[in-house]
Every structure is written in C-alpha cells, then in structure tokens.
Amino acid sequence: MAGRRIERLLIHERRLRWPVDLGMVAAVAGAAIRHAGRRAKYLLLETDAGTLILHLGMSGSLRVLPVATPRITHDHVDIELDSGQTLRFNDPRRFGSLLFTAGDPAQHPLLKSLAPEPLEDEFDGEYLWKITRRRAVAIKQLIMNSRLVVGVGNIYASEALFRARVRPRRQARKLTRAECTKLARAIKATLAMAVKVGGTTLRDYVGVDGNPGYFRQKLYVYERADEACRVCGKPVKQFTQGGRSTYWCANCQK
Ligand SMILES: [Zn+2]
C-alpha cells in the first residue's frame, strides 16, 4: 500500500459500528499513502491528508482485488488505488468501523489510552516485572489484560506461557525477574512467528489473499488437550480460566 495513491474512496454502506463520516471521502481523494500500520486491532492507513482508521469488528475482512471485480453482499467500502486494485472491506455483521483523523492517529480518542504493543521495545522483561509486582491475578489473565498490554489473545497467551515454561495459574507477583524476561521474549517470539506464517485459522479467518493462516500447525499446547506434549511427550492439560480455555503441560511448566 505504501507509495500508492488513493484514487477514490467509495462508501457503499455507512451503517457500520459508527456511522461513516462521508467527509473523509473528499479528504483522502488523491492522497498518497505513506504507511500502512496497526495499533492494537485498529488498522491505520496513513496518507498525506490524514489517517484512515479501520477496525474489522467481529466478522470484517479486507481483500485486495482488481477494481472491476463485482461487489458481493456485505462489501461496504472500496479504497481504490492508482495500481488498478481496490482494498475492499466486507463485513456481514457490520461491527467493523471506518474513521478518519487529520491529526496524529496516536492522539485519537480510541488509540491514545491503549497499553503498549507486545512487539515494540517498550514491552520487555522490565515492563512485565513492574506490572506484575503487586498483582495476585494469574499470570495468564494478566498478559491478556489489554489495559496492561494489547494483543495477547487466548491462543498466544497459552503458547507463550508454554515457551517460557511458566504455569498459567501462577500468581503474577510470584514470577521471578528471570521469568518475566523469558515470558516477555516468549510473547514476542510467539506473536512474531504467528505473523510470519499468517495467523491462526480457527473458523473463518483468511489473509488478504484469501488463504487461511497456518500457525495452528505450529501450536505447542492450544487445543491439544490429552495429546502428547511436543517437548516431553506427557499429555497436554486443559482447564477454564476467566471463562477461557487454557492449555498447558504440567511437566514442562513450573
Ligand atoms: Zn511437556
């Protein structure tokens, strides 16, 4: 996307999670895209006119298609590029959103109070050590708390704790400094690997090319209850924690 120009922004359906402000149509017409980025679950298309902020909601997807491709049901937005392609947003349930800000996107009300990104330098063993000190909550629930760190979902929390050899039910404040360092590294490594192979297909996830994500084949413990641990061979265990399934190996994790 970077370096392309937006020829036209077409809003076919304004009724997304929040009504789409049609003022952005004229604002971004002809604008050059500087950078395509992300903050938490918000996708940021930074142009020289301002930033489009897109959220996929629960069922939204983006595809890159030739501009002439006929629309199908629930295709709500087209961002037509000077490459002859369009970035097309489809969302059956319309919980997704499209917003625009002419200012610094980091200062947008939806973004400015978000916790650190796990893949940024700001999130490290030192940060994890600090936020765990006075918290008696289980470590798995702490790393899934988006007010402390964004984007560590249920799958990746189980996987990262396995890699760090830390039991999911350990009290956060009981982790040693060395364990905090290991866990911060494990979170980064788990997410980086998942991004590299294209995410984890559970139900209906697809990449922009329409292919499913392949991280599932690389999972150590997630949804592998009673199967052999890939490290020690003992059966993987499962329990429910904060309403979510947790998977772990009682032999490998302390
Ligand atoms: Zn094991």
Side-chain angles (χ1 to χ4, degrees), residues 18 37-44 53-55 110-111 114:
W18 297 294
R38 179 192 60 76
R39 181 76 173 97
K41 288 185 182 175
Y42 296 95
L43 307 176
L44 308 177
I53 304 173
L54 186 86
H55 194 297
L110 289 173
L111 306 183
L114 291 170

Side-chain angles (χ1 to χ4, degrees), residues 162 229-234 249-252:
F162 178 83
C229 169
R230 295 197 204 278
V231 172
C232 74
K234 297 254 165 63
C249 176
N251 189 45
C252 292

Side-chain angles (χ1 to χ4, degrees), residues 169-189:
R169 271 186 281 223
R170 283 269 297 283
Q171 277 192 18
R173 64 183 178 195
K174 299 272 177 71
L175 264 70
T176 66
R177 210 171 187 112
E179 283 171 330
C180 287
T181 303
K182 250 169 102 175
L183 182 54
R185 286 191 187 140
I187 288 170
K188 287 172 189 280

Side-chain angles (χ1 to χ4, degrees), residues 31-142:
I33 298 168
R34 288 181 189 155
H35 180 71
R38 179 192 60 76
R39 181 76 173 97
K41 288 185 182 175
Y42 296 95
L43 307 176
L44 308 177
L45 211 52
E46 294 170 32
T47 78
D48 52 17
T51 301
L52 290 168
I53 304 173
L54 186 86
H55 194 297
L56 300 177
M58 299 181 72
S59 56
S61 62
L62 283 171
R63 283 185 177 81
V64 177
L65 300 164
V67 156
T69 310
R71 278 166 51 215
I72 58 171
T73 316
H74 310 304
D75 280 343
H76 303 315
V77 174
D78 272 295
I79 303 172
E80 294 185 357
L81 307 172
D82 61 356
S83 60
Q85 292 177 307
T86 182
L87 185 64
R88 185 167 286 174
F89 176 60
N90 181 288
D91 186 3
R93 297 178 70 178
R94 289 192 277 112
F95 281 112
S97 55
L98 179 64
L99 300 145
F100 174 77
T101 177
D104 176 4
Q107 296 308 314
H108 189 277
L110 289 173
L111 306 183
K112 74 175 178 193
S113 308
L114 291 170
E117 291 282 338
L119 290 172
E120 298 291 329
D121 292 344
E122 191 184 351
F123 179 80
D124 59 8
E126 187 62 31
Y127 176 80
L128 199 53
W129 169 257
K130 272 190 209 141
I131 63 171
T132 50
R133 284 315 82 198
R134 282 159 49 183
R135 290 188 162 94
V137 67
I139 186 61
K140 180 175 178 245
Q141 280 165 286
L142 182 139

